[in-house]
């Protein structure tokens, strides 16, 4: 059962400090919860761009748990899907368990410390402090489940479902279930299993007895034959439900429900990746674990919405960066048809941050790999496990040793999926370029000392040089063993190796595990040309908190130079196809065009107030443009217009008058450029191939009236801790045309059976926190997130200066 309600939290202090009055008040909270997102940011925080200028700290959570007398002899445990970090779990003051890593699911047995027939106190302590290169959040930020089992039971994480034999007309579904007997007598019980097709009747079943001696565990296997199976795929994510029941006569001892996707996986260097025998190239998005205005809180609806929007933007795969993703997100990928590369670690034995997981790695890595696989192995969406990201050791002998240990550990737990690793050849040979990097760091330090950016800043300076180093003979030699242990060679910013490795390592299958958005056209061309390259994962699909300013653009005035790490108030990386609210940025439509999924031209206009100014970015940047022809106050001002298209040429027409034609791809593939002056009206982009029109797009200037427009993603919400409503707030004219220059502060009031969980915008450098009820719009937009607290109606009222207030009503049932 989900145990997300009834918790409270506060800043943690030592018992001695609390004696002196230092302890704070407890605040009621519903999980999942990010303890850090509502704290004040610190502009002068050392290396503050990485965590988004949040300083971190220590927190404690507590909850009362009533345990009946008859629970004596039962197994009671708490399953935490994620606590960041160094979690210590106490029951009635006794330490019941702990977990170092902030991203693993872990289980703590609590029955040895429970007082039956009484109210018990559960406490969880955790902390975060310079332990990552991005915003981690803090606290119990994923779901918590209470597990209660009789003496004879199905083991926790003891059910594995595989589909080892699949044809068009039949499939074999194999269920392996571990049964445990913690009683003092020999027991013979029965395990029954059935398979139901979604919305239909039972399609297969089996049942068998199992005898267990005291303290023994045994594995029961059922092989269920399914006729005419509905196969799981990206296009048709068909799911079955496996139902297991453990009984002793008429008494039910335990049960479990497991979603099942019947599908096959194959990969090789000649035919690439195949699912159910059909070739598939990965249109991939790297994603971090945070949910923008919600911080790190992994609320199920937020995870589902993220996958919905990424898929709508043209992606068919996500890579968790750089840690295991939540169970809720995996479930959404199963339902919606999104493939997953789930990643383990961002570091092994070499630290990347002052207090990161490297100091825990040698003691914890096996348990964390086991936790990853136990969480993932029944999810059909998972096709690859990644054992690391940009690990410096991969270019050393020790890296070969650790690579093999990790890869074989994963295979011993789940041989049905592929193993990869996001290897950056540049990082793998950092010792060989130390002198050059030292010069780069020195130059950057003298140019902009307030925003030291570490490795990311160095990468900004090297550009293509990093790719050239990745393709060098030295990298080939030093990474050969680390690559050799993998089923699929993940390459971060290493597209220079794609053609080279087809000759030197003809059996090597490659995936672009992390690539620059600015190189998508070239990277996708390589994917289409080479069968051994199975896809591309951009950095990043969905923008994230921390690594502040990584993909932002700057307009330097000559006194300062651009850096990848930007000073406060920058918060977001600003490198996503979608911003932190889920709104698609222009690069998303460019990528959709490159993927061959869009033929309608897309028009983006660079900000007129910046016309002619020098602009600087990083390889993770895109142009600072908006899909708008509403630039009041800039009449007669020169503007630069970008049109993304797969046609030969594009013509721009303003109020019936042609502004000229431009060839597509002169400067950048799939893009045509125009220079004109701004005049309000109707701007039409007409795309043509071979003189024949293939599509057109229209932008209209907004009228002077200013309206507030609010739209909810749904009006009916479910009671509980997993649902949310996402409400888009826009500043428009009376026809609904966005006015990006009309930004102002909005106020949101929620009443009834819900609360305002967060209020944010796509602004990558905001001064406001997401926890307030007022917020400035950014380019005319904001996002309010509402969370149910009970059953009944919910009213949402939005107001802003110069606008008529608006509202809407939701219902929680």
């Amino acid at each position: 059962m989900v145990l997300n309600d009834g918790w409270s939290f506060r800043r943690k202090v030592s018992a001695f400090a609390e004696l002196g009055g230092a302890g704070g008040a407890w605040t009621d909270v519903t999980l999942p919860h990010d303890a850090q997102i509502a704290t004040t940011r610190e502009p002068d925080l050392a290396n503050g761009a990485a965590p988004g200028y949040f300083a971190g700290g220590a927190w404690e959570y507590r909850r009362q748990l009533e345990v009946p007398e008859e629970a004596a002899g039962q197994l009671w445990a708490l399953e935490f899907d994620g606590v960041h970090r160094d979690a210590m779990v106490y029951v009635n003051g006794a330490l019941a368990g702990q977990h170092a890593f902030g991203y693993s699911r872990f289980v703590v047995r609590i029955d040895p410390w429970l007082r039956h027939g009484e109210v018990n106190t559960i406490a969880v302590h955790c902390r975060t402090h310079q332990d990552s290169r991005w915003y981690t959040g803090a606290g119990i930020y994923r779901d918590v489940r209470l597990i209660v089992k009789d003496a004879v039971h199905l083991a926790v994480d003891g059910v594995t479902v595989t589909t080892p034999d699949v044809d068009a007309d039949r499939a074999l579904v194999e269920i392996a279930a571990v049964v445990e007997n913690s009683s003092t007598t020999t027991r013979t019980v029965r395990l029954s299993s059935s398979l139901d097709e979604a919305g239909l009747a039972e399609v297969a079943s089996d049942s068998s007895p199992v005898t267990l001696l005291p303290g023994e565990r045994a594995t029961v296997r059922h092989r269920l034959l399914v006729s005419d199976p509905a196969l799981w795929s990206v296009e048709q994510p068909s799911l079955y439900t496996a139902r297991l029941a453990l009984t002793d006569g008429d008494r039910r001892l335990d049960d479990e429900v497991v979603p099942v996707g019947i599908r096959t996986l194959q990969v090789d260097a000649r035919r690439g990746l195949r699912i159910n025998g059909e070739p598939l190239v990965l249109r991939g998005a790297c994603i971090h674990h945070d949910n923008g205005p919600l911080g790190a809180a992994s609320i199920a609806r937020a995870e589902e919405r993220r996958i919905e929007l990424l898929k709508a933007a043209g992606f068919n795969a996500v890579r968790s960066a750089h840690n295991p993703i939540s169970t809720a997100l995996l479930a959404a990928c199963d339902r919606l048809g999104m493939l997953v590369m789930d990643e383990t670690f961002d570091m092994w034995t070499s630290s990347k941050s002052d207090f990161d997981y490297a100091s825990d790695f040698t003691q914890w890595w096996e348990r964390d790999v086991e936790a990853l696989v136990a969480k993932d192995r029944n999810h059909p969406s998972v096709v690859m496990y990644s054992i690391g990201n940009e690990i410096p050791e991969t270019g050393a002998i020790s890296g070969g040793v650790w690579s093999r240990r990790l890869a074989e550990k994963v295979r011993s737990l789940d041989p049905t999926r592929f193993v990869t690793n996001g290897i950056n050849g540049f990082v793998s040979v950092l010792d060989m370029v130390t002198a050059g990097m030292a010069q780069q760091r020195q130059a950057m330090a003298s140019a902009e000392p307030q925003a030291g950016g570490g490795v990311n800043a160095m990468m900004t300076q090297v550009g293509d040089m990093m790719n050239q180093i990745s393709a060098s003979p030295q990298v080939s030699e030093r990474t050969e063993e680390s690559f050799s242990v993998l089923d699929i060679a993940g390459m971060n910013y290493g597209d220079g190796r794609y053609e080279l490795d087809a000759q030197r390592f003809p059996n090597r299958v490659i995936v672009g595990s992390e690539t620059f958005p600015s190189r998508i056209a070239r990277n996708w061309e390589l994917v289409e040309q080479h069968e051994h390259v199975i896809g591309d994962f951009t950095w990043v699909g969905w923008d994230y908190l921390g690594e502040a300013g990584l993909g932002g653009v700057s307009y330097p005035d000559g006194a300062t130079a651009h850096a990848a790490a930007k000073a406060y108030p920058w918060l977001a990386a600003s490198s996503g196809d979608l911003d932190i609210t889920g709104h698609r940025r222009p690069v998303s439509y460019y990528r959709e065009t490159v993927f061959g999924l869009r033929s309608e031209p897309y028009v983006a206009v660079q900000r007129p107030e910046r016309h002619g100014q020098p602009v600087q970015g990083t390889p993770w940047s895109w142009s600072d443009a908006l899909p708008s022809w509403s630039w009041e106050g800039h009449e007669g001002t020169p503007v630069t217009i970008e049109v993304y298209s797969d046609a030969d040429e594009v013509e721009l027409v303003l109020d019936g008058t042609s502004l000229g034609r431009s060839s597509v791809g002169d400067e950048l593939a799939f893009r045509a450029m125009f220079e004109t002056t701004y005049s309000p009206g109707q701007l039409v982009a007409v795309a043509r191939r071979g003189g024949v029109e293939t599509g057109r797009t229209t932008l209209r200037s907004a009228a002077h009236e200013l309206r507030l427009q609010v739209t909810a993603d749904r009006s009916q919400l479910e009671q509980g801790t997993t649902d949310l409503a996402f409400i888009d707030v826009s500043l428009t004219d009376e026809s609904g045309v966005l006015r990006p220059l009309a930004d102002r502060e909005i106020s949101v009031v929620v009443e009834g059976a819900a609360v305002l969980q967060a209020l944010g915008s796509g602004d990558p450098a905001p001064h406001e926190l997401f926890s307030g009820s007022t917020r400035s719009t950014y380019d005319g937009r904001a996002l309010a997130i509402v969370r149910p607290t009970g059953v009944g109606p919910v009213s949402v009222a939005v107001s802003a200066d110069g606008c008529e207030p608006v509202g809407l009503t939701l219902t929680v049932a």
Side-chain angles (χ1 to χ4, degrees):
M1 90 183 243
V2 176
L3 201 70
N4 287 342
D5 56 359
W7 293 85
S8 56
F9 89 110
R10 67 175 183 177
R11 284 274 190 177
K12 181 182 180 298
V13 298
S14 71
F16 298 104
E18 193 165 4
L19 282 174
W26 291 90
T27 301
D28 292 339
V29 67
T30 300
L31 306 181
H33 172 254
D34 182 354
Q36 185 171 233
I37 194 63
T39 62
T40 303
R41 295 200 291 153
E42 299 186 9
D44 298 323
L45 183 68
N47 300 316
Y53 298 93
F54 285 94
W59 287 269
E60 56 182 326
Y61 291 74
R62 72 179 182 187
R63 189 191 195 280
Q64 303 302 309
L65 184 64
E66 189 169 354
V67 181
E69 287 280 4
E70 56 268 27
Q74 292 181 329
L75 180 152
W76 284 53
L78 291 174
E79 179 186 86
F80 296 89
D81 208 54
V83 179
H84 201 91
R85 124 177 236 273
D86 289 324
M88 307 281 284
V89 182
Y90 298 86
V91 179
N92 297 321
L95 179 64
Q98 65 186 105
H99 202 86
F101 198 33
Y103 301 101
S104 285
R105 190 182 70 174
F106 64 97
V107 177
V108 175
R109 187 166 177 176
I110 62 174
D111 54 274
W113 309 104
L114 293 176
R115 299 168 186 157
H116 300 94
E118 299 182 26
V119 175
N120 297 258
T121 300
I122 308 297
V124 180
H125 299 176
C126 54
R127 62 185 178 182
T128 183
H129 175 59
Q130 294 186 17
D131 52 30
S132 184
R133 299 182 297 118
W134 52 84
Y135 175 83
T136 63
I140 310 177
Y141 70 101
R142 292 178 179 171
D143 291 321
V144 177
R145 291 178 61 241
L146 174 65
I147 299 171
V148 179
K149 292 179 177 287
D150 285 339
V152 181
H153 55 263
L154 293 165
V156 177
D157 287 330
V159 177
T160 303
V161 182
T162 56
T163 57
D165 187 0
V166 179
D167 292 329
D169 61 344
R170 34 72 73 201
L172 190 65
V173 177
E174 185 170 292
I175 298 174
V178 177
V179 183
E180 296 179 334
N181 177 14
S182 60
S183 74
T184 58
T185 60
T186 299
R187 301 282 297 275
T188 298
V189 296
R190 177 169 291 274
L191 181 70
S192 301
S193 61
S194 64
L195 197 67
D196 302 342
E197 190 171 359
L200 301 175
E202 178 182 295
V203 297
S205 63
D206 201 354
S207 179
S208 57
V210 54
T211 300
L212 301 105
L213 300 177
E216 188 180 51
R217 52 191 282 152
T219 300
V220 181
R221 298 183 186 275
H222 290 163
R223 292 161 62 84
L224 306 183
L225 190 63
V226 180
S227 299
D228 300 319
L231 302 185
W232 188 96
S233 67
V234 170
E235 295 78 15
Q236 293 182 313
S238 302
L239 289 174
Y240 292 79
T241 302
R243 303 182 189 278
L244 286 77
L246 189 68
T247 57
D248 185 0
D250 294 333
R251 183 179 172 222
R252 182 172 291 238
L253 302 175
D254 203 356
D255 51 39
E256 191 155 341
V257 176
V258 180
V260 177
I262 299 175
R263 56 113 178 94
T264 63
L265 293 176
Q266 297 168 287
V267 72
D268 62 59
R270 179 175 297 178
R271 298 175 64 190
L273 175 67
R274 300 179 303 286
I275 296 181
N276 303 322
E278 296 295 325
L280 182 78
V281 289
L282 300 176
R283 305 189 300 269
C286 295
I287 57 173
H288 265 306
H289 71 292
D290 73 77
N291 276 300
L294 294 171
S298 176
I299 301 171
R301 174 54 192 156
E303 302 286 50
E304 179 182 61
R305 174 178 177 265
R306 181 155 45 152
I307 297 304
E308 287 174 349
L309 295 178
L310 285 169
K311 191 164 185 180
F315 294 108
N316 63 13
V318 294
R319 172 197 180 207
S320 70
H322 303 288
N323 41 256
I325 54 181
S326 70
T327 300
L329 194 142
L330 288 177
C333 291
D334 291 344
R335 291 192 304 271
L336 298 171
M338 181 72 79
L339 301 176
V340 176
M341 178 199 298
D342 207 0
E343 199 153 81
T344 50
F345 313 115
D346 186 48
M347 74 293 295
W348 294 347
T349 61
S350 295
S351 292
K352 295 181 179 179
S353 303
D354 290 344
F355 300 97
D356 65 19
Y357 177 76
S359 59
D360 299 308
F361 177 80
T362 57
Q363 296 183 49
W364 281 93
W365 74 271
E366 263 191 296
R367 283 171 284 184
D368 286 320
V369 169
E370 290 167 355
L372 170 74
V373 176
K375 172 176 63 70
D376 287 19
R377 64 188 173 203
N378 291 328
H379 289 278
S381 56
V382 178
V383 295
M384 278 182 276
Y385 298 112
S386 171
I387 59 175
N389 169 69
E390 296 185 345
I391 305 297
E393 297 96 307
T394 53
I397 294 174
S398 63
V401 173
W402 277 111
S403 295
R404 198 173 303 278
R405 287 174 180 169
L406 285 155
E408 292 307 315
K409 179 65 177 181
V410 170
R411 293 186 180 107
S412 72
L413 299 167
D414 183 1
T416 70
R417 291 173 172 86
F418 306 122
V419 178
T420 187
N421 188 359
I423 295 178
N424 185 324
F426 177 83
V427 173
S428 298
V429 295
L430 275 178
D431 57 314
M432 295 182 61
V433 291
T434 300
M437 289 300 96
Q439 293 176 0
Q440 291 287 345
R441 287 193 297 269
Q442 184 177 8
M444 290 175 57
S446 61
E448 191 173 8
Q450 75 275 18
V455 172
N456 286 337
M458 287 186 258
M459 289 181 178
T460 301
Q461 299 299 310
V462 299
D464 287 340
M465 186 186 77
M466 183 168 62
N467 202 17
Q468 294 168 7
I469 291 174
S470 293
S472 68
Q474 293 90 340
V475 169
S476 296
E477 179 182 350
R478 290 182 51 172
T479 60
E480 184 176 5
E481 183 174 6
S482 292
F483 275 126
S484 72
V485 308
L486 306 173
D487 302 307
I488 298 170
M491 294 188 181
N492 287 16
Y493 312 109
D495 51 280
R497 295 205 63 89
Y498 294 0
E499 294 178 300
L500 173 71
D501 283 5
Q503 303 300 319
R504 181 159 185 173
F505 303 102
N507 297 311
R508 182 176 286 180
V509 179
I510 294 173
V511 64
S513 44
E514 188 170 319
T515 63
F516 294 126
S518 55
R519 296 176 66 97
I520 179 57
R522 172 56 180 160
N523 287 342
W524 197 246
E525 182 182 23
L526 290 171
V527 171
E528 292 181 318
Q529 289 176 350
H530 298 286
E531 294 163 331
H532 71 291
V533 183
I534 65 171
D536 179 276
F537 285 78
T538 188
W539 192 266
V540 289
W542 190 289
D543 204 20
Y544 59 100
L545 307 180
E547 291 192 308
L550 174 73
V553 298
S554 297
Y555 299 91
D557 58 8
T560 60
H562 183 78
K566 293 189 175 61
Y568 180 88
W570 275 83
L571 170 59
S574 195
S575 61
D577 277 32
L578 283 70
D579 69 21
I580 60 172
T581 69
H583 178 68
R584 292 180 68 178
R585 302 167 71 213
V587 63
S588 173
Y589 295 93
Y590 178 82
R591 188 182 310 279
E592 188 179 19
T593 304
V594 171
F595 282 158
L597 303 176
R598 179 186 180 89
S599 58
E600 180 184 353
Y602 181 85
V603 182
V605 181
Q606 296 180 14
R607 300 178 190 273
E609 68 269 26
R610 296 294 189 179
H611 188 272
Q613 296 183 24
V615 58
Q616 292 184 351
T618 74
W620 296 277
S621 301
W622 196 252
S623 64
D624 188 15
L626 295 174
S628 176
W629 195 242
S630 297
W631 304 103
E632 55 267 25
H634 294 278
E635 291 77 6
T637 299
V639 291
T640 301
I641 302 172
E642 307 174 9
V643 182
Y644 311 145
S645 174
D646 60 357
D648 298 332
E649 69 170 10
V650 174
E651 181 182 15
L652 281 185
V653 179
L654 180 62
D655 290 339
T657 301
S658 176
L659 299 180
R661 301 186 180 193
S662 180
S663 298
V664 175
D666 284 350
E667 299 177 2
L668 180 69
F670 299 97
R671 188 184 71 180
M673 300 293 292
F674 294 85
E675 291 289 336
T676 187
T677 56
Y678 174 67
S679 177
Q682 179 173 283
L683 182 70
V684 181
V686 182
R688 296 185 179 90
R689 184 183 297 112
V692 177
E693 181 177 330
T694 60
R696 62 174 56 204
T697 295
T698 300
L699 295 180
R700 294 179 176 84
S701 300
H704 290 295
E705 298 90 355
L706 185 63
R707 301 284 181 88
L708 271 172
Q709 185 177 92
V710 296
T711 306
D713 64 335
R714 50 232 265 265
S715 60
Q716 299 288 327
L717 301 179
E718 293 184 4
Q719 179 188 9
T721 64
T722 62
D723 209 358
L724 297 166
F726 290 84
I727 300 171
D728 290 309
V729 181
S730 304
L731 294 167
T732 72
D733 68 3
E734 60 182 1
S735 300
V737 178
L738 189 72
R739 293 188 58 185
L741 299 185
D743 283 326
R744 62 202 56 216
E745 185 177 83
I746 62 169
S747 176
V748 179
V749 177
V750 177
E751 295 179 334
V755 294
L756 179 64
Q757 184 73 17
L759 179 61
S761 73
D763 186 357
H767 288 276
E768 308 105 320
L769 295 173
F770 299 117
S771 54
S773 60
T774 60
R775 182 83 179 195
S776 298
T777 59
Y778 181 69
D779 291 335
R781 298 180 184 273
L783 178 72
I785 306 175
V786 174
R787 190 175 193 182
T789 58
V791 176
V794 178
S795 65
V796 180
V798 183
S799 59
D801 288 343
C803 302
E804 287 291 325
V806 295
L808 52 79
T809 300
L810 311 173
T811 302
V812 183

